[in-house]
Amino acid sequence: MNTLVDGEWRTDAYETTSDDGSFERQETTFRDRVRDDPDAEFQPEDGRYHLYVSYACPWAHRTLVTRALKGLEEAISVSVVDPYRDEDGWQFTPEKDGCTRDHVHGVDYLRKLYVRADPDVTARVTVPVLWDKRENTIVNNESREIMRMLDTEFDEYGSRDVDLYPEGYREEIDRIIDSIYEPINNGVYRAGFATEQDPYDAAIDDLFSALEHWNDVLAEQRYLAGDRLTEADIAMFTTLVRFDNVYHTHFMCNVRQIRDYENLWPYLRDLYQTPGVADTVRMDHITEHYYTTHPDVNPHRIVARGPDPEFDAPHDRDEHPGSPPADLEAARAD
């Protein structure tokens, strides 16, 4: 991935690995918050904010799932970039299926929005981006923080009464999101982008140890935090749904597939079948992006054909205590 340095696009400035061959993810740049507070600079309002996303990116996918579960489609608009990212970065190609134009400014590359927000910015140009149409700037480009804002600050504007960060669960939700980030969410990248055997082996050990742990946890409960669907499940879902098609092969995470786990696999199907979630999954964008955008990993950019997981297959997760929020159950019944 290339980067902006002092507002200029550079193709030679971003390194993903340290001296020992291990993958290092850089911090995001824009970290302001939307808060339901009269003194806040960025306050929740209907139609004020816009999301820039890629269907291919698991971090952006978190925000799309949250937006769908909360029923914020009318309140927060979206633009979708092309899954293929070349040396000029994320691009808008509205002629391509599932992609859109930039609905706010009409630019052709996402990096131009970063420069609009800060002409002297030094930053990786990543998705998701939460844009303030009133102030004409980026509020935030950190997926976990955008997910939390959409979940907790826009209740007045959502069409569904869904709370993904409920009182009584918050400490556990934060603990789980922290605990799955390094070995699982980032772990697949640590494996895929390692350039030496030892860091790859360490990443694989961490990844599959963590997957085994959560497979055991889910033997006794429906969701990661117990009997409630929460942000923690969204953070896990966007990695798991990509695993068999991309990470298993492309990132050499091939010890097991998610379909090999007796509890993680039905758990994944349960989440996929939760109303609103399936519509956020574009496996065509996911596979095109990963197999064509990392020439260091896949120099010929050949897109692997399979597999074809049956995400719609029945599951038995409703035998455990708990259920999706009532508004989601009503949507399922409809």
Side-chain angles (χ1 to χ4, degrees):
M1 181 186 290
N2 302 317
T3 191
L4 286 165
V5 178
D6 298 328
E8 297 294 327
W9 186 243
R10 295 277 298 275
T11 60
D12 60 351
Y14 177 48
E15 293 293 335
T16 61
T17 55
S18 64
D19 291 340
D20 68 355
S22 59
F23 171 70
E24 294 183 344
R25 185 175 297 279
Q26 294 184 356
E27 292 290 327
T28 48
T29 305
F30 296 91
R31 304 296 287 272
D32 286 320
R33 301 291 187 105
V34 176
R35 292 187 298 115
D36 190 7
D37 182 327
D39 296 325
E41 178 181 3
F42 302 102
Q43 300 177 25
E45 295 180 29
D46 188 9
R48 176 173 171 175
Y49 298 97
H50 188 79
L51 269 175
Y52 290 97
V53 301
S54 164
Y55 283 122
C57 172
W59 316 106
H61 194 182
R62 295 178 173 193
T63 66
L64 283 174
V65 174
T66 306
R67 174 177 174 264
L69 293 176
K70 300 286 288 189
L72 289 167
E73 291 92 341
E74 296 299 320
I76 300 174
S77 51
V78 167
S79 294
V80 181
V81 296
D82 194 300
Y84 175 64
R85 189 184 63 215
D86 63 16
E87 64 179 10
D88 286 317
W90 294 111
Q91 183 179 11
F92 297 98
T93 55
E95 68 279 3
K96 190 169 184 175
D97 185 42
C99 304
T100 73
R101 64 181 179 88
D102 167 20
H103 294 298
V104 179
H105 296 287
V107 301
D108 50 356
Y109 283 96
L110 185 66
R111 57 186 166 86
K112 295 183 179 180
L113 297 175
Y114 275 63
V115 176
R116 280 180 183 251
D118 179 359
D120 299 315
V121 65
T122 294
R124 296 169 55 224
V125 176
T126 61
V127 286
V129 169
L130 184 64
W131 183 273
D132 182 351
K133 291 185 278 189
R134 173 181 293 178
E135 298 299 327
N136 201 32
T137 193
I138 294 174
V139 179
N140 196 292
N141 69 334
E142 170 54 50
S143 66
R144 179 172 176 178
E145 294 173 4
I146 297 173
M147 179 170 62
R148 179 65 48 83
M149 284 184 271
L150 298 185
D151 182 25
T152 61
E153 306 298 329
F154 287 87
D155 285 344
E156 181 180 351
Y157 307 106
S159 63
R160 289 173 171 168
D161 183 15
V162 172
D163 185 359
L164 301 168
Y165 192 55
E167 294 283 354
Y169 291 76
R170 293 185 172 183
E171 183 176 346
E172 179 69 356
I173 292 168
D174 288 335
R175 183 195 70 79
I176 293 170
I177 293 175
D178 286 340
S179 71
I180 67 176
Y181 170 77
E182 192 59 32
I184 298 177
N185 301 141
N186 197 44
V188 293
Y189 291 90
R190 290 168 54 211
F193 291 146
T195 59
E196 300 287 346
Q197 188 69 46
D198 287 348
Y200 165 78
D201 287 338
I204 289 294
D205 289 344
D206 290 346
L207 170 62
F208 286 96
S209 176
L211 290 175
E212 196 66 47
H213 166 75
W214 289 107
N215 185 66
D216 291 343
V217 169
L218 290 167
E220 305 296 333
Q221 58 194 53
R222 186 166 186 177
Y223 301 110
L224 297 188
D227 61 351
R228 293 284 296 267
L229 175 69
T230 71
E231 292 176 17
D233 299 295
I234 297 173
M236 179 70 95
F237 172 78
T238 60
T239 296
L240 295 189
V241 78
R242 288 160 171 75
F243 199 97
D244 289 4
N245 285 79
V246 172
Y247 303 139
H248 178 273
T249 301
H250 183 54
F251 281 172
M252 299 176 292
C253 299
N254 59 354
V255 174
R256 297 182 77 182
Q257 298 183 90
I258 299 304
R259 289 173 296 163
D260 296 330
Y261 289 94
E262 60 180 341
N263 300 310
L264 280 173
W265 174 224
Y267 164 77
L268 174 56
R269 301 201 308 274
D270 186 12
L271 297 180
Y272 181 88
Q273 294 170 34
T274 301
V277 174
D279 290 340
T280 70
V281 179
R282 289 289 305 248
M283 196 59 70
D284 55 340
H285 280 223
I286 291 168
T287 54
E288 178 182 350
H289 169 73
Y290 281 96
Y291 286 107
T292 64
T293 301
H294 306 135
D296 289 347
V297 178
N298 183 22
H300 298 295
R301 294 187 169 93
I302 295 171
V303 179
R305 182 175 295 179
D308 186 17
E310 295 183 9
F311 294 126
D312 286 318
H315 61 80
D316 59 359
R317 300 299 295 170
D318 50 2
E319 296 179 1
H320 295 281
S323 63
D327 275 16
L328 294 176
E329 285 289 74
R332 190 197 307 275
D334 293 339

